[in-house]
Amino acid sequence: KAKEKGRGKREFFKGEMNAFTLERLKLEGYLRKAIQKGELQPYFQPQLCMKTERITGFEALLRWNHPELGLVSPMQFVPLAEEIGLIDDIGRFVLFESCKQLRHWHDEGAHHLSISVNVSGRQFQRLSFVYEVKEALQASGIPAECLHLELTESTMIHNVQYSISIMQELRELGVKLSIDDFGTGYSSLSYLKDFPVDSLKIDQSFIRHLSDDFFNTSDAAIIKAIIMMCEGLSLTTVAEGVETYEQMKLLREYGCHTAQGYIISKPMPANEAQLFLDEFYTIKNSTS
Ligand code: C2E
Ligand code: MG
Ligand code: MG
Ligand code: MG
């Protein structure tokens, strides 16, 4: 009898699949409540102009801090949010919060700062997306050109003609567009001339191994080629994941416009980002 019961149980749980489903259901339930509970918060990572050595703006990177699970990575919960239809609320939340934060920095006197917001595929494909962007600009009162939206190649090529028309509408608002993680997606160069974008973010996988090392010249070659191509297309280049001074030096030599990465700062909560700005300019002014 005990044997039969045991077998039945094993039948019911059928390997790890059900345990996985259970975990996932729990995660889903938690995520559904995360916004109301204030567990979601954008962090901000500074972007540095290579020429002027000034902070030009921040990228908003979402964080989920759950009391039981701890800090959950956006790489985990963003795809889940897309799947269960929560990305609409979450995307809207990040967009509005980020614009509001930028307005605060502008009010403090840092009028030149921009804010970059990541847009997921589902969020971008929604009919109300342009309207939402317009609303976020109106609610915060920031100039449209200070809002940069980051799109990935897979988002844009999902439905090319539709994507181009939405991108044109966004640019008519004055918003800037950039291609995130460039080089990791489909990277069809022919699309680059059709998509109305302003800047391109070189994926960190190319930056990671960039060094003066004679034996690793391929990443350098790719980075240089991307920067040269962008020059011809009048696109601004942003290097993501810059971790060393050597990488910084090389990127500057290659003519990359903007750097973002741990060498400058990790993403941080709004109040820390504010302190970072204050300190950054205090140090800079006392040394220059
Ligand atoms: P991403 O937009 O390409 O963001 C860059 C990622 O690289 C961030 O990871 C950032 O923390 C990390 N990073 C920055 N500098 C360095 C560095 O020097 N070294 C290394 N190793 N990593 C660095 P994070 O914050 O975990 O975000 C991961 C991805 O999740 C983002 O990639 C983006 O695709 C997505 N994501 C984040 N926030 C949002 C959001 O609000 N909405 C949407 N739709 N996606 C988001
Ligand atoms: Mg990004
Ligand atoms: Mg990226
Ligand atoms: Mg990335």
Side-chain angles (χ1 to χ4, degrees):
K1 245 186 185 171
K3 222 180 191 174
E4 250 165 51
K5 219 176 167 185
R7 200 181 300 142
K9 219 173 189 172
R10 214 172 302 132
E11 275 283 303
F12 181 72
F13 283 105
K14 252 208 176 113
E16 281 164 25
M17 205 41 215
N18 283 296
F20 173 76
T21 310
L22 214 64
E23 272 308 301
R24 215 193 105 113
L25 280 175
K26 216 164 118 184
L27 203 64
E28 271 188 39
Y30 287 159
L31 189 55
R32 284 184 198 284
K33 296 188 198 108
I35 296 186
Q36 294 109 291
K37 289 192 164 178
E39 294 165 0
L40 291 178
Q41 189 190 359
Y43 273 38
F44 300 92
Q45 187 177 36
Q47 299 176 321
L48 182 88
C49 171
M50 295 279 210
K51 222 182 228 156
T52 62
E53 293 193 333
R54 279 168 67 92
I55 301 298
T56 54
F58 290 90
E59 178 178 14
L61 292 156
L62 194 55
R63 294 292 176 263
W64 179 17
N65 201 346
H66 185 267
E68 202 179 301
L69 305 168
L71 216 55
V72 186
S73 161
M75 308 259 250
Q76 276 178 281
F77 71 82
V78 168
L80 176 67
E82 282 212 311
E83 219 177 292
I84 62 179
L86 274 181
I87 199 66
D88 302 347
D89 291 341
I90 291 177
R92 194 184 153 82
F93 169 79
V94 178
L95 184 63
F96 277 70
E97 284 299 303
S98 303
C99 290
K100 206 169 87 186
Q101 184 56 52
L102 187 70
R103 171 58 192 267
H104 177 72
W105 284 324
H106 281 188
D107 286 346
E108 299 274 300
H111 303 288
H112 65 285
L113 291 181
S114 64
I115 191 80
S116 298
V117 178
N118 292 283
V119 178
S120 86
R122 283 267 171 103
Q123 190 186 0
F124 179 78
Q125 302 293 339
R126 280 184 81 215
L127 287 171
S128 57
F129 183 63
V130 177
Y131 179 71
E132 263 177 29
V133 172
K134 219 185 278 180
E135 268 189 316
L137 290 172
Q138 269 163 8
S140 62
I142 60 166
E145 66 270 20
C146 294
L147 175 63
H148 301 185
L149 299 175
E150 296 191 1
L151 309 166
T152 60
E153 292 162 84
S154 55
T155 294
M156 299 184 304
I157 67 150
H158 178 69
N159 184 341
V160 176
Q161 280 319 310
Y162 179 74
S163 294
I164 291 175
S165 71
I166 296 302
M167 290 166 88
Q168 270 158 353
E169 279 186 48
L170 289 167
R171 280 182 107 203
E172 271 160 35
L173 292 180
V175 167
K176 304 276 185 205
L177 302 177
S178 62
I179 305 181
D180 203 353
D181 305 336
F182 184 80
T184 60
Y186 300 86
S187 301
S188 169
L189 296 182
S190 67
Y191 285 134
L192 262 187
K193 66 175 203 288
D194 300 328
F195 286 120
V197 296
D198 303 278
S199 66
L200 187 154
K201 296 187 82 172
I202 306 169
D203 190 68
Q204 43 183 292
S205 57
F206 300 113
I207 314 289
R208 192 167 301 139
H209 306 291
L210 180 66
S211 70
D212 259 331
D213 191 344
F214 178 77
F215 297 103
N216 176 28
T217 51
S218 56
D219 285 315
I222 292 171
I223 293 168
K224 280 192 262 187
I226 294 176
I227 293 171
M228 250 168 67
M229 177 183 69
C230 285
E231 243 149 56
L233 295 166
S234 300
L235 300 178
T236 304
T237 42
V238 182
E240 56 177 26
V242 184
E243 293 186 350
T244 69
Y245 280 112
E246 198 183 2
Q247 291 166 351
M248 193 81 142
K249 192 192 101 208
L250 290 170
L251 287 161
R252 184 180 281 128
E253 269 173 38
Y254 302 160
C256 181
H257 299 103
T258 308
Q260 190 185 336
Y262 293 169
I263 185 79
I264 301 155
S265 168
K266 289 200 168 182
M268 51 205 152
N271 58 330
E272 276 177 44
Q274 172 83 56
L275 291 175
F276 172 88
L277 276 179
D278 297 342
E279 226 170 275
F280 185 88
Y281 287 113
T282 310
I283 292 168
K284 214 190 156 223
N285 291 335
S286 64
T287 54
S288 62

